[in-house]
Amino acid sequence: MPAPHGPRRARIAFSDSAAKQLDAITSEAELHALDRALVVISVDPDVGELLPGDSTGPRLRQYVDDVERVRLVYWVTALKTVVVVAFIEV
């Protein structure tokens, strides 16, 4: 009998601007810190705090990891299967 799997992780997709920011990261330490933050969000997409805004667009969330010094602004799709990162700050 196969081993049971844990909860399904959300798939991460990057906006064009976030992809450009990602391409600009050259430090191994920054990439590692970003990777850790992305894992946190993929496990629990609702972990970030909701940012103020109206209901006309997607509800933006902000995840901040003070230890790794990473800030991500993202939104979660209606199916909660894809997290789209809108801004990366490492």
Side-chain angles (χ1 to χ4, degrees), residues 49-55 58-62:
E49 68 180 64
L50 281 172
L51 294 175
D54 56 29
S55 60
R59 290 300 313 260
L60 292 177
R61 293 183 163 277
Q62 172 179 259

Side-chain angles (χ1 to χ4, degrees), residues 5-56:
H5 296 284
R8 187 172 155 220
R9 289 186 178 186
R11 190 178 73 204
I12 305 288
F14 296 97
S15 66
D16 290 341
S17 62
K20 288 178 187 175
Q21 292 171 345
L22 183 61
D23 288 341
I25 297 173
T26 58
S27 163
E28 193 75 27
E30 288 179 347
L31 286 173
H32 178 71
L34 176 61
D35 186 51
R36 289 176 56 101
L38 291 172
V39 167
V40 169
I41 291 173
S42 73
V43 171
D44 182 6
D46 296 325
V47 70
E49 68 180 64
L50 281 172
L51 294 175
D54 56 29
S55 60
T56 60

Side-chain angles (χ1 to χ4, degrees), residues 75-82:
W75 71 90
V76 182
T77 66
L79 297 177
K80 293 196 175 194
T81 57
V82 179

